Amino acid sequence: MSDLFLEAAIEEARKGRAAGGIPIGSVLVHNGQIIGRGHNQRVQHGSVIHHAEMNCLENAGRLPGKIYRECVLYSTLSPCPMCSGAALLYGIPKIVVGENKTFQGPEAYVRSQGVTVEIVNDPTCIELMEKFIAEEPTLWNEDIGV
Amino acid sequence: MSDLFLEAAIEEARKGRAAGGIPIGSVLVHNGQIIGRGHNQRVQHGSVIHHAEMNCLENAGRLPGKIYRECVLYSTLSPCPMCSGAALLYGIPKIVVGENKTFQGPEAYVRSQGVTVEIVNDPTCIELMEKFIAEEPTLWNEDIGV
């Protein structure tokens, strides 16, 4: 796996799991530079909105619309409706998805709105989630509103 | 205007504006009780994800999926793609919208996913936003990614 940005997102996911949380990570990339990174905070901060992508966007801070429209959002997992919606709100034109085997967000809808969604299906991303879901199915279901 | 829940959302919006923020408020209602409330926190907390509905959901805390599926989400303004997505993620079946004259989120898509979206077009909600947008157009554009 050669994509350094997806690698950084995986590092975020691992950091989250190491803290007892859900192993999903995300980075925001602008002109080849990481300008935000984050991971799911449901366990760590009792948050229902800090999914990895949301936490990443929040950590990137307040940015002009112009910047978002030049960004690529990386996530280890296919973005859920909320995180997909955040990308649409800010006009982020491209999302690189580590995997969509263990969960699939509204990719077709996101694409229909003009966003490029690239699915890597990286074995490390899949393994991280498969292990986590097997270990904590109830927590996982809570995170996706099941 | 006779809906006490929309009235509570308007109170949140006013609280936000009084603190120098963006006047959008939201409440989450379960079985006729308000279980969460909040308002936009872009200015107050430098947040790009705490739109009113998101702040309301976060303040409601971690809830079982079953509860969300019995809730009504009130917002003074038509929910943007991010907030609409949050409602979809958690399977909230009904959204009551104060107004969609000054901004319109993806209502058709939300409805296509089985959610009831009720538009009130309350004059107070419209007035709050019209006044704010006239006063702070740049801030407003930032909040909707323009």
Side-chain angles (χ1 to χ4, degrees):
Chain A
M1 207 272 302
S2 59
D3 187 323
L4 288 175
F5 300 128
L6 184 54
E7 198 63 73
I10 292 171
E11 194 185 302
E12 285 293 324
R14 288 202 166 111
K15 209 181 290 181
R17 190 66 190 127
I22 301 174
I24 306 169
S26 174
V27 297
L28 185 66
V29 175
H30 182 249
N31 288 343
Q33 295 266 10
I34 293 177
I35 60 169
R37 52 173 73 215
H39 51 268
N40 188 297
Q41 300 287 346
R42 179 170 295 268
V43 172
Q44 298 93 317
H45 291 120
S47 176
V48 307
I49 67 170
H50 278 266
H51 273 188
E53 301 89 330
M54 307 295 289
N55 186 241
C56 169
L57 290 170
E58 188 74 323
N59 290 340
R62 290 173 62 178
L63 300 170
K66 181 188 177 304
I67 301 293
Y68 290 115
R69 289 190 288 275
E70 298 166 347
C71 279
V72 181
L73 182 66
Y74 283 74
S75 178
T76 56
L77 184 65
S78 179
C80 82
M82 173 175 68
C83 300
S84 296
L88 291 174
L89 167 65
Y90 290 116
I92 296 171
K94 185 176 175 179
I95 307 175
V96 177
V97 173
E99 65 109 346
N100 67 358
K101 296 291 183 198
T102 66
F103 176 83
Q104 190 167 358
E107 293 164 7
Y109 173 64
V110 173
R111 284 189 177 116
S112 80
Q113 302 302 298
V115 177
T116 301
V117 181
E118 195 180 302
I119 313 292
V120 179
N121 278 327
D122 173 76
T124 305
C125 293
I126 297 172
E127 196 194 338
L128 270 167
M129 280 306 291
E130 280 181 345
K131 189 164 182 292
F132 165 69
I133 293 170
E135 285 167 358
E136 309 215 39
T138 307
L139 176 58
W140 174 232
N141 282 337
E142 184 194 316
D143 203 54
I144 51 174
V146 175
Chain B
M1 208 272 301
S2 58
D3 187 324
L4 288 175
F5 300 128
L6 184 56
E7 196 64 70
I10 292 171
E11 194 185 303
E12 285 292 324
R14 287 202 168 113
K15 209 181 290 181
R17 190 65 190 127
I22 300 174
I24 306 169
S26 175
V27 297
L28 185 66
V29 175
H30 181 250
N31 289 343
Q33 295 266 10
I34 294 178
I35 60 169
R37 54 172 73 215
H39 51 267
N40 187 297
Q41 301 288 346
R42 179 171 296 269
V43 171
Q44 297 93 320
H45 292 119
S47 176
V48 307
I49 67 171
H50 278 266
H51 273 188
E53 302 89 331
M54 308 295 288
N55 186 240
C56 169
L57 291 170
E58 188 74 323
N59 290 339
R62 289 172 63 178
L63 300 170
K66 182 189 176 301
I67 302 293
Y68 290 116
R69 289 190 289 274
E70 298 167 347
C71 281
V72 182
L73 181 66
Y74 283 75
S75 178
T76 55
L77 184 65
S78 179
C80 82
M82 173 176 68
C83 300
S84 297
L88 292 175
L89 167 65
Y90 289 116
I92 296 171
K94 185 176 174 180
I95 307 175
V96 177
V97 173
E99 64 109 347
N100 68 358
K101 296 292 182 197
T102 65
F103 176 82
Q104 191 168 359
E107 293 163 8
Y109 173 65
V110 173
R111 287 191 176 114
S112 80
Q113 302 302 296
V115 176
T116 301
V117 181
E118 195 179 302
I119 312 292
V120 179
N121 278 327
D122 173 77
T124 305
C125 293
I126 297 172
E127 195 193 339
L128 270 167
M129 281 306 291
E130 281 182 343
K131 188 164 182 292
F132 165 69
I133 294 169
E135 285 167 359
E136 307 215 38
T138 307
L139 175 59
W140 173 233
N141 283 336
E142 183 194 318
D143 202 54
I144 51 174
V146 176

